[in-house]
């Protein structure tokens, strides 16, 4: 656990400390959260279970209102679940108030105390834990160094920039060496360049401290670049948990495929299974092999997804055929929108070279070939 | 260990209980020294006046009757009490006029402040705030110095040879009007300013763009936008004006009484506490109607102004 | 046309505004100027002198009334601010709960009722209690002043609380602060300017009160405003101007401080 072991048991505030660190840092078991009463009841979380491993950079990804922030608040203790358990190293922390949980949060608006200096903000948690002054001071210095803010330790938080506030918020949450760090869309207020910088910075901090990060975002790109594993959420449920590769290349459901990246959806008839792959016959008559989620038996009719960059446009015959409808230039690549003969829409992404044009024009009759490992059958 | 759900429910219960405990001292003090005594006034209005003030504990509706009626001393017949009616009428009329005058002067003033650059705006606002927090008595005394026979207005007019005799302004309805407009003007300007400050002047630009002239922009764009402020200011002026006591006492003298002074009279020389109580409740009822009107129109405005 | 078209201009508004500012200050300035009159008239100027300030200073009635005013205002404003702070904490930053609307209405009740009506009610109520208990001290005035000061103290405190970022306290709890520690270290320091504003507002309101004091006071319990009101019935000398001037100065001082506190609040 490295630095995290500083949380000793039997502390004054009664913050609980796990006896035997298990495999998972946080285990969410059948958690429901219902807001409102009677007629106006809304289930923000609908029986969610997920296990978050130690030292993992775990991301909760989904559109606003999907329940990701609610789940984070339940783990932090700002709300209490209506049912279910939340285990921290095997111990149920769901009924504990936030100040008794060895879990810290980086807030979306940072929530830095405006009446305190940068250093006072960072030292606040340790001070509340009753640590001796010298220890607090040393740890604050260490934290300032970690986030490269030594020069501004005496400033008021209103006198520093947004990016610097972000660093202070991080340092403040990391200072008490929490078991788990919760980050609630912490980068959403930053501009594009700074956000890219902080993404790398966050990865570095997670690596250096060895603390489990639970990161909430609606930005799929952010999730893909930073996470060890991602849970995609929608309407209060977790749809799929997996590595960024799994999520992107093997989306299990339509929502996941649609929410992350661009995708082509094709209707197909499943004619058989071989080597864990399904044989899918497309409307064009061509038959392709498509991967299937583990343990899932596709029915006769299914939807197959193909990422635009995994298909190739040819002037001859391919697996599919259609007419070029539109060509959109993106700098690094070009998107070619094709209307298939089956009247479905299909987009192909082609890497650009310096030679002029993409080789096709609007109205061209084209073929599309789908790679050997490019298609995935959806579970919907 | 209790489940999270139970813990949350218990925390909520405790929170509500704590919130009652925290607000209890304020509620108790207000009940004992403001709201509660009002209930006693209701009781007193149904009792019989004592010979030296106070009341005798005997039920009577005479207090209420004499709000509007007068019992003839000789034959016990009832007739409308002209004196009371005229005071009711004067109070309503003067309060209404005060509201109109403060609106007439206050609206341009608030607009002037709201259209200054941000820095200047604070200085002008501060200049309005100072009289607002200056003792009402001092302000009434100040206006008296201006309109007295020996006051500035008369002195200047005589010096200029415009008049030879001072104009008698004190102890007239005119003095009351001037005095009340003067003391209540800040009460009108402040809420008007609060809603004018929020005007999006792009709407005014849009008005001009669509061929409105200055007056049409004022009437069709600006006034509708600040209507909540106009209503709030009018209520804030009308209600205290209706119950005014100090200003009519100082500037109006004994002949130009308003409701407040009539009420006081019953507890002083009049020695008719039940009548005074009934008059107080009548005044309160009028105020409540005005407030109700305000709450309803504020609600219609979408509650844009508190 | 020549000059640029100013969309904010309205014909005559600036003139009326100037008249208003002039009219608001002319009477006040007159009062102040005549406070320094050497003669004993408040209309005929006879030269500069401080005699009326000396006279007021040596007038026992004035001094007694002033001390009484300050006593009442201090006690009333302090108690009102403390209970208003508690009430504001109890009525803000929560989802609606049973009784919340009642509390708002009740706390603001003194603002809704004409002062003369409250004055009459307190006269009746306190005269009963005076008969029962035999006590006729300043307690009645203090209680009455406290009650009508509460809504005034409550207003800025509540406004401050509602503008405060709730996540700050959540953050404190997240960083191991117990509810009491979170209040002491985060809520209270941030609320302090609001409390100060409420205190000053309540103080000025109490200091200025005429009507309720006039009805509630027993014999010999004049405050400065009721003393002045009594003097208006007699021949007025510039002594009243001198008292008014000092009174005015105190009010302006408090309002200025209040103004700057509320400005600071906006900037944070």
């Amino acid at each position: 656990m490295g630095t995290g072991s500083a949380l000793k048991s039997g502390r004054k505030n009664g913050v609980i400390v796990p006896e035997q660190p298990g495999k998972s840092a946080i285990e969410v078991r059948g958690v429901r959260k219902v807001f409102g009463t009677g007629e106006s009841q809304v289930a923000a979380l609908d029986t969610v279970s997920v296990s978050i491993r130690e030292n993992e950079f775990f991301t909760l990804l989904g559109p606003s209102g999907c329940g990701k922030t609610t789940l984070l608040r339940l783990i932090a203790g700002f709300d209490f679940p209506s049912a279910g358990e939340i285990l921290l190293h095997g111990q149920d922390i769901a009924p504990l108030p936030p100040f008794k949980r060895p879990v810290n949060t980086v807030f979306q608006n940072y929530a830095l105390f405006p009446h305190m200096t940068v250093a006072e903000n960072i030292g606040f948690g340790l001070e509340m834990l009753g640590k001796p002054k010298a220890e607090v001071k040393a740890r604050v210095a260490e934290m300032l160094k970690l986030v490269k803010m030594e020069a501004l330790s005496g400033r008021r938080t209103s006198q520093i920039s947004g990016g610097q506030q972000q660093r202070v918020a991080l340092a403040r949450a990391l200072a008490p060496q929490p078991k788990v760090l919760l980050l609630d869309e912490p980068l959403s207020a930053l501009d594009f360049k700074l956000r890219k910088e902080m993404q790398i910075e966050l990865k570095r901090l997670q690596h250096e401290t060895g603390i489990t990060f639970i990161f909430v975002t609606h930005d799929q790109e952010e999730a893909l670049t930073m996470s060890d594993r991602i849970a995609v959420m929608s309407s209060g449920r977790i749809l799929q948990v997996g590595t960024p590769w799994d999520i992107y290349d093997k989306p299990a459901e339509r929502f996941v495929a649609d929410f992350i990246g661009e995708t082509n959806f094709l209707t197909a008839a499943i004619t058989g299974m071989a080597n864990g792959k399904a044989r899918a016959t497309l409307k064009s008559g061509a038959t392709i092999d498509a991967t299937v989620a583990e343990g899932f038996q596709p029915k006769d009719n299914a939807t197959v997804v193909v990422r635009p960059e995994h298909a190739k446009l040819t002037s001859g015959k391919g697996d599919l055929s259609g007419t070029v409808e539109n060509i959109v230039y993106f700098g690094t690549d070009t998107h070619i929108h094709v209307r298939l003969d089956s009247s479905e829409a299909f987009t192909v992404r082609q890497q650009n070279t310096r030679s002029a044009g993409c080789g096709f024009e609007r109205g061209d009759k084209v073929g599309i070939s789908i790679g050997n490992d490019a298609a995935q059958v959806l579970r919907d | 260990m209790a489940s999270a759900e139970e813990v949350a429910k218990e925390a909520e219960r405790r929170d509500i209980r704590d919130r009652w405990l925290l607000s209890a001292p304020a509620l108790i003090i207000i009940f004992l020294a403001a709201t509660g005594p009002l209930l006693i006034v209701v009781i007193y209005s149904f009792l019989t006046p004592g010979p030296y003030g106070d009341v005798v504990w005997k039920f009577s509706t005479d207090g209420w009757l004499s709000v509007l009626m007068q019992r003839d001393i000789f034959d016990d017949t009832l007739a409308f009490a002209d004196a009371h009616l005229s005071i009711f009428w004067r109070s309503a009329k003067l309060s209404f006029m005060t509201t109109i005058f403060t609106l007439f002067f206050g609206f341009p003033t608030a607009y002037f402040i709201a259209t200054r650059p941000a820095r200047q705006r604070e200085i002008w606002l501060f200049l309005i705030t100072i009289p607002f927090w200056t003792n009402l008595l001092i302000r009434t005394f100040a206006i008296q110095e201006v309109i007295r026979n020996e006051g500035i207005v008369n002195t200047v007019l005589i010096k200029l040879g415009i008049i030879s005799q001072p104009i008698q302004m004190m102890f007239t309805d005119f003095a009351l009007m001037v005095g009340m407009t003067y003391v209540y003007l800040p009460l009108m300007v402040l809420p008007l300013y609060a809603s004018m400050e929020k005007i999006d002047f792009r709407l005014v630009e849009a008005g001009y763009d669509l061929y409105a002239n200055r007056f049409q922009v004022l009437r069709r764009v600006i006034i509708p936008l600040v209507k909540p402020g106009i209503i709030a200011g009018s209520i804030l002026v009308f209600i205290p004006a209706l119950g005014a006591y100090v200003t009519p006492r100082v500037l109006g003298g004994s002949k130009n009484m308003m409701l407040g002074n009539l009420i006081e009279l019953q507890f002083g020389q009049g020695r008719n506490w039940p009548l005074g109580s009934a008059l107080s409740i009548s005044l309160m009822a009028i105020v409540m109607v005005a407030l109700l009107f305000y709450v309803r129109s504020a609600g219609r405005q979408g509650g844009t102004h508190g | 046309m020549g000059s640029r078209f100013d969309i904010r201009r309205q014909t005559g508004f600036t003139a009326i505004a100037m008249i208003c500012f002039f009219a608001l200050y002319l009477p006040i300035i007159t009062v102040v100027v005549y406070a320094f009159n050497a003669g004993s008239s408040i209309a005929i100027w006879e030269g500069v002198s401080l005699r009326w300030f000396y006279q007021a200073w040596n007038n026992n009635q004035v001094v007694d009334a002033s001390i009484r005013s300050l006593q009442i205002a201090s006690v009333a404003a302090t108690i009102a601010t403390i209970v208003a702070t508690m009430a504001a904490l109890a009525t803000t930053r929560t989802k609606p709960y049973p009784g919340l609307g009642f509390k708002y209405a009740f706390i603001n009740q003194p603002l809704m009722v004409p002062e003369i009506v409250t004055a009459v009610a307190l006269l009746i109520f306190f005269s009963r209690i005076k008969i029962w208990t035999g006590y006729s001290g300043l307690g009645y005035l203090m209680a009455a002043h406290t009650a009508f000061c509460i809504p005034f103290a409550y207003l800025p405190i509540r406004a401050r609380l509602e503008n405060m970022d709730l996540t700050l306290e959540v953050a404190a709890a997240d960083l191991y602060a117990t509810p009491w520690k979170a209040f002491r270290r985060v809520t209270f320091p941030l609320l302090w300017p609001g409390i100060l504003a409420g205190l000053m507002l309540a103080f000025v309101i109490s200091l200025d009160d005429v009507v309720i004091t006039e009805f509630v006071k027993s014999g010999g319990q004049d405050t400065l405003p009721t003393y002045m009101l009594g003097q208006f019935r007699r021949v007025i000398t510039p002594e009243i101007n001198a008292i008014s001037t000092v009174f005015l100065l105190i009010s302006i001082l408090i309002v200025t401080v209040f103004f700057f506190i509320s400005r600071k609040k906006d900037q944070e």
Side-chain angles (χ1 to χ4, degrees):
Chain A
M1 195 58 209
T3 49
S5 59
L7 288 176
K8 293 276 179 329
S9 55
R11 192 177 22 229
K12 249 177 32 178
N13 284 39
V15 176
I16 60 148
V17 176
E19 294 303 319
Q20 71 282 44
K23 247 181 68 189
S24 60
I26 290 276
E27 176 111 30
V28 176
R29 281 191 194 157
V31 162
R32 268 176 68 79
K33 177 64 187 175
V34 183
F35 287 112
T37 48
E39 291 284 297
S40 58
Q41 257 193 7
V42 186
L45 282 179
D46 191 3
T47 327
V48 164
S49 296
V50 66
S51 171
I52 296 159
R53 295 173 199 144
E54 246 177 58
N55 304 346
E56 184 170 44
F57 197 118
F58 192 88
T59 298
L60 298 170
L61 173 66
S64 59
C66 71
K68 57 189 192 298
T69 297
T70 305
L71 183 54
L72 198 77
R73 290 176 61 84
L74 293 181
I75 297 171
F78 307 145
D79 275 320
F80 297 100
S82 310
E85 292 179 317
I86 297 170
L87 307 184
L88 176 73
H89 293 291
Q91 192 162 352
D92 187 13
I93 56 164
L96 293 180
F99 56 89
K100 288 190 180 162
R101 300 180 187 208
V103 166
N104 291 134
T105 307
V106 177
F107 293 85
Q108 187 168 9
N109 64 353
Y110 315 141
L112 297 177
F113 304 124
H115 56 301
M116 298 180 196
T117 63
V118 165
E120 283 167 345
N121 262 284
I122 297 174
F124 188 85
L126 295 163
E127 203 187 315
M128 289 299 113
L129 287 170
K131 300 281 181 204
K133 275 210 169 74
E135 190 187 327
V136 174
K137 214 177 151 202
R139 181 80 184 140
V140 168
E142 193 185 326
M143 282 295 118
L144 282 166
K145 194 159 169 256
L146 185 70
V147 297
K148 300 172 188 140
M149 289 283 294
E150 298 101 313
L152 300 175
S153 72
R155 291 274 189 94
R156 283 288 173 105
T157 55
S158 53
Q159 298 166 324
I160 57 177
S161 72
Q164 290 166 339
Q165 289 182 6
Q166 168 74 81
R167 288 165 188 275
V168 176
L170 264 166
R172 185 178 73 174
L174 285 170
Q177 290 161 318
K179 296 288 165 196
V180 176
L181 186 75
L182 309 175
L183 302 104
D184 185 5
E185 308 222 19
L187 307 182
S188 61
L190 303 178
D191 62 42
F192 182 77
K193 252 193 95 178
L194 207 53
R195 192 157 66 223
K196 291 281 159 211
E197 239 175 79
M198 283 308 295
Q199 285 177 3
I200 297 164
E201 185 77 7
L202 273 177
K203 271 302 269 188
R204 175 181 73 85
L205 285 173
Q206 199 258 331
H207 189 76
E208 280 180 24
T209 56
I211 291 174
T212 308
F213 277 32
I214 303 181
F215 186 88
V216 159
T217 184
H218 64 269
D219 183 335
Q220 40 121 347
E221 195 193 313
E222 204 165 87
L224 291 175
T225 43
M226 298 172 73
S227 319
D228 293 325
R229 285 195 308 151
I230 299 171
V232 183
M233 295 184 70
S234 170
S235 316
R237 290 185 311 122
I238 291 180
L239 302 180
Q240 189 174 358
V241 182
T243 63
W245 294 273
D246 283 343
I247 298 282
Y248 186 81
D249 284 340
K250 293 170 183 160
E253 294 191 32
R254 178 178 282 267
F255 180 89
V256 178
D258 209 19
F259 188 73
I260 295 160
E262 278 172 87
T263 308
N264 296 300
F265 296 98
L266 297 169
T267 340
I270 306 297
T271 50
M273 295 281 292
N275 306 329
K277 284 192 175 182
R279 292 200 64 74
T281 306
L282 305 176
K283 277 188 176 172
S284 63
T287 300
I288 55 171
D289 283 342
T291 47
V292 178
E294 219 172 293
F296 170 62
Q297 279 294 334
K299 294 188 295 280
D300 295 350
N301 285 307
T303 304
V304 166
V305 291
V306 180
R307 295 288 182 189
E309 66 273 24
H310 296 156
K312 222 171 132 58
L313 215 55
T314 58
S315 41
K317 241 182 91 67
D319 298 312
L320 302 161
S321 61
T323 314
V324 174
E325 268 195 340
N326 207 0
I327 297 170
V328 186
Y329 178 69
F330 271 91
T332 54
D333 46 30
T334 301
H335 293 195
I336 300 150
H337 299 271
V338 177
R339 178 65 56 187
L340 300 180
D341 294 342
S342 59
S343 84
E344 290 164 301
F346 198 99
T347 305
V348 175
R349 188 184 296 170
Q350 216 173 53
Q351 191 73 31
N352 285 335
T353 57
R354 283 194 73 179
S355 58
C358 66
F360 297 96
E361 267 178 51
R362 201 184 291 190
D364 282 358
K365 295 295 268 179
V366 290
I368 296 167
S369 53
I370 294 166
N372 217 3
D373 198 26
Q376 164 91 359
V377 182
L378 290 184
R379 201 170 7 177
D380 57 1
Chain B
M1 190 152 67
S3 83
E5 178 77 339
E6 286 163 33
V7 170
K9 280 225 176 89
E10 175 58 30
E12 195 171 314
R13 263 197 300 275
R14 199 165 342 120
D15 180 58
I16 291 177
R17 191 200 64 202
D18 288 352
R19 284 172 181 277
W20 275 104
L21 286 177
L22 266 178
S23 40
L27 299 179
I28 290 169
I29 290 173
I30 290 175
F31 179 77
L32 286 180
T35 314
L38 292 177
L39 304 174
I40 300 175
V41 179
V42 178
I43 299 172
Y44 266 51
S45 70
F46 289 104
L47 297 176
T48 308
Y52 309 106
D54 212 331
V55 288
V56 177
W57 285 84
K58 192 167 145 247
F59 178 81
S60 162
T61 52
D62 272 7
W64 281 99
L65 268 178
S66 38
V67 169
L68 295 177
M69 305 291 208
Q70 207 163 27
R71 201 182 286 277
D72 196 293
I73 329 169
F74 299 109
D75 57 9
D76 249 21
T77 51
L78 289 170
F80 278 107
D82 292 337
H84 291 182
L85 282 180
S86 73
I87 288 173
F88 263 99
W89 175 238
R90 171 184 291 118
S91 295
K93 190 181 69 185
L94 287 176
S95 306
F96 182 72
M97 302 275 280
T98 302
T99 311
I100 297 295
F101 280 129
T102 50
L103 186 59
F104 176 79
F105 288 107
F107 191 94
T109 307
Y111 187 84
F112 171 80
I113 301 174
T115 51
R116 291 312 96 191
R119 275 223 156 284
Q120 270 187 45
R121 217 183 290 172
E122 290 198 342
I123 298 168
W124 291 111
L125 201 61
F126 185 59
L127 285 178
I128 287 287
T129 322
I130 286 190
F132 180 68
W133 289 118
T134 302
N135 194 329
L136 177 82
L137 199 63
I138 295 178
R139 283 184 290 153
T140 309
F141 170 58
I143 202 83
Q144 182 197 355
E145 287 220 341
V146 172
I147 62 172
R148 270 167 350 115
N149 286 1
E150 306 82 24
I152 288 193
V153 172
N154 276 320
T155 312
V156 169
L157 288 179
I158 290 174
K159 277 245 169 79
L160 292 175
I162 296 171
I163 51 170
S164 53
Q165 287 293 313
I167 305 168
Q168 171 69 38
M169 287 181 281
M170 282 294 286
F171 312 123
T172 62
D173 278 0
F174 172 76
L176 268 179
M177 280 304 320
V178 172
M180 295 215 296
T181 304
Y182 177 70
V183 296
Y184 294 129
L185 184 64
L187 279 176
M188 179 63 91
V189 175
L190 291 175
L192 275 176
Y193 169 77
S195 43
M196 281 178 187
E197 189 194 32
K198 287 186 233 139
I199 294 181
D200 180 354
F201 273 92
R202 282 171 302 184
L203 297 175
V204 173
E205 282 174 4
Y208 283 122
D209 185 52
L210 296 165
Y211 315 109
N213 60 33
R214 282 200 199 280
F215 179 68
Q216 284 165 327
V217 161
L218 177 66
R219 202 169 60 87
R220 298 289 299 277
V221 181
I222 297 172
I223 290 181
L225 282 175
V226 298
K227 207 172 153 200
I230 295 176
I231 295 171
S234 302
I235 291 287
L236 277 179
V237 170
F238 184 77
I239 289 179
L242 199 64
Y245 167 78
V246 172
T247 312
R249 175 166 158 181
V250 175
L251 299 177
S254 56
K255 277 189 190 154
N256 297 67
M257 257 194 258
M258 284 180 66
L259 256 176
N261 312 92
L262 180 63
I263 291 172
E264 191 223 358
L265 194 64
Q266 308 311 320
F267 288 91
Q269 297 158 326
R271 285 182 189 165
N272 193 342
W273 288 26
L275 172 58
S277 301
L279 286 168
S280 301
I281 294 164
S282 310
L283 172 59
M284 204 163 77
I286 301 172
V287 167
M288 287 301 151
V289 170
L291 276 175
L292 220 64
F293 165 78
Y294 169 60
V295 169
R296 278 191 49 193
S297 56
R300 254 204 316 278
Q301 298 285 335
T304 43
H305 196 284
Chain C
M1 292 291 282
S3 66
R4 206 165 50 87
F5 182 82
D6 180 2
I7 59 147
R8 291 162 183 255
R9 214 177 78 84
Q10 282 293 337
T11 315
F13 274 26
T14 305
I16 296 180
M18 287 303 122
I19 291 172
C20 276
F21 282 110
F22 179 72
L24 275 176
Y25 280 92
L26 173 72
I28 297 176
I29 290 168
T30 310
V31 167
V32 173
V33 167
Y34 277 95
F36 296 93
N37 193 1
S40 53
S41 159
I42 54 171
I44 302 154
W45 183 253
E46 290 177 31
V48 181
S49 145
L50 289 176
R51 68 180 270 215
W52 299 109
F53 288 93
Y54 286 123
Q55 179 152 338
W57 182 251
N58 290 318
N59 183 338
N60 282 336
Q61 276 179 296
V62 173
V63 173
D64 286 351
S66 304
I67 291 172
R68 210 169 285 119
S69 273
L70 290 174
Q71 272 177 343
I72 295 169
S74 311
V75 172
T78 308
I79 299 175
T81 307
I82 293 169
V83 300
T85 305
M86 289 159 64
L89 285 167
T91 51
T92 50
R93 310 186 302 163
T94 173
K95 57 184 185 198
Y97 60 91
L100 185 61
F102 164 80
K103 284 182 193 173
Y104 282 144
F106 209 88
I107 290 166
N108 287 311
Q109 181 269 323
L111 298 178
M112 314 277 188
V113 177
E115 240 195 316
I116 183 82
V117 177
T118 309
V120 162
L122 290 174
L123 167 72
I124 293 175
F125 180 53
F126 287 157
S127 68
R128 277 280 136 199
I129 296 187
K130 275 177 200 168
I131 292 167
W132 284 339
T133 61
Y135 170 74
S136 61
L138 280 182
Y140 299 107
L141 279 172
M142 287 171 176
H145 279 231
T146 305
F148 69 71
C149 281
I150 289 173
F152 287 97
Y154 176 76
L155 279 171
I157 300 172
R158 182 186 153 192
R160 176 96 192 166
L161 271 170
E162 282 185 341
N163 286 331
M164 246 162 74
D165 187 357
L166 251 182
T167 50
L168 290 178
E169 279 135 285
V170 174
D174 184 59
L175 293 162
Y176 312 107
T178 56
W180 168 243
K181 273 189 185 163
F183 175 78
R184 206 167 51 85
R185 293 294 308 275
V186 177
T187 318
F188 189 75
L190 292 172
L191 183 56
W192 180 240
I195 295 176
L196 214 58
L199 182 73
M200 284 188 300
L201 216 58
F203 192 81
V204 172
I205 291 288
S206 166
L207 216 53
D208 282 356
D209 180 71
V210 189
V211 181
I212 289 176
T213 312
E214 177 77 2
F215 279 74
V216 171
K217 72 180 165 78
S218 306
Q221 287 186 344
D222 265 320
T223 61
L224 204 50
T226 62
Y227 170 79
M228 288 168 70
L229 185 66
Q231 292 302 304
F232 287 164
R233 293 194 169 150
R234 301 169 193 189
V235 177
I236 302 176
T237 64
E239 190 185 343
I240 293 286
N241 296 53
I243 299 168
S244 300
T245 302
V246 174
F247 210 133
L248 203 69
L249 217 65
I250 295 171
S251 298
I252 292 176
L253 205 73
I254 296 175
V255 175
T256 310
V257 176
F258 173 78
F259 200 74
F260 280 103
I261 289 178
S262 8
R263 257 186 42 163
K264 195 163 167 263
K265 171 180 74 186
D266 295 340
Q267 282 164 358
E268 245 171 39

